[in-house]
Amino acid sequence: MKSRYLASSLLLALLAAPLAPAQDAPAAAPAPAAPANKPKKTELAKDMDKINRAVRTLRKQINDASQNESSLALVATIHDAAVAADKETPAWTADQPQADQAKFVDDYHTKMKDFIGDVDKLTDALKAGDNAAAAKLFAGLGQDEKAGHKQFRKPEEKH
């Protein structure tokens, strides 16, 4: 009879063991650190990221007149980030020949001012409710972006 109680007690202890909190459990592992070789983003890169996020959302809704209010807010974000980016200098400037650096920066600022002007035209088209014209202007912004990145963004190194 005692052996039956002993066996039952052992069986209950084994079944309840996973439910008991661990007293000596190791602390949670710390979050992995950011890779050491990943450089910090420049202010220009952060501004361009803001533009990119707004553009991706705007691309989905530019033709929908019922979302013009939201589209105008996204265009305002693009405008503000572009104005901030125009005050910056591309990181690739330092890699340009010393004699060409001033021209490189001037060309960058000229392109940014053109981009901001096109964003203002996009704003006007959306305010007028002309989504067809807005979509055409938006497509032009995409082409400007590709050309600008090709000219002013440092090419990524291939591994």
Side-chain angles (χ1 to χ4, degrees):
M1 180 108 161
K2 287 184 179 180
S3 64
R4 192 181 323 158
Y5 288 121
L6 182 62
S8 297
S9 298
L10 285 173
L11 182 61
L12 283 175
L14 287 174
L15 291 175
L19 301 176
Q23 296 293 331
D24 296 331
N37 61 351
K38 189 173 182 179
K40 288 187 177 184
K41 285 193 172 189
T42 63
E43 288 302 313
L44 177 59
K46 291 176 186 176
D47 292 332
M48 292 298 175
D49 285 347
K50 288 177 191 175
I51 292 172
N52 188 39
R53 281 191 300 274
V55 163
R56 282 184 294 181
T57 304
L58 186 59
R59 181 178 297 124
K60 298 173 189 172
Q61 67 187 46
I62 191 71
N63 291 309
D64 187 357
S66 68
Q67 294 199 16
N68 277 1
E69 194 171 312
S70 171
S71 295
L72 282 168
L74 290 167
V75 172
T77 299
I78 293 168
H79 182 273
D80 293 346
V83 168
D86 186 36
K87 295 175 184 170
E88 301 293 330
T89 302
W92 201 23
T93 303
D95 294 345
Q96 303 302 312
Q98 186 69 28
D100 296 339
Q101 287 183 2
K103 182 178 180 342
F104 182 80
V105 172
D106 287 342
D107 289 347
Y108 167 76
H109 290 299
T110 300
K111 288 281 189 183
M112 284 306 299
K113 285 180 184 12
D114 291 346
F115 180 81
I116 292 166
D118 291 344
V119 170
D120 290 340
K121 290 176 188 174
L122 178 60
T123 300
D124 294 341
L126 286 170
K127 284 182 179 177
D130 190 354
N131 287 73
K136 191 173 182 178
L137 287 165
F138 183 74
L141 289 179
Q143 293 169 353
D144 291 345
E145 173 195 18
K146 286 179 185 176
H149 284 179
K150 187 174 182 178
Q151 186 175 357
F152 300 109
R153 187 185 216 182
K154 184 175 184 174
E156 293 183 13
E157 294 178 13
K158 295 184 181 184
H159 299 301

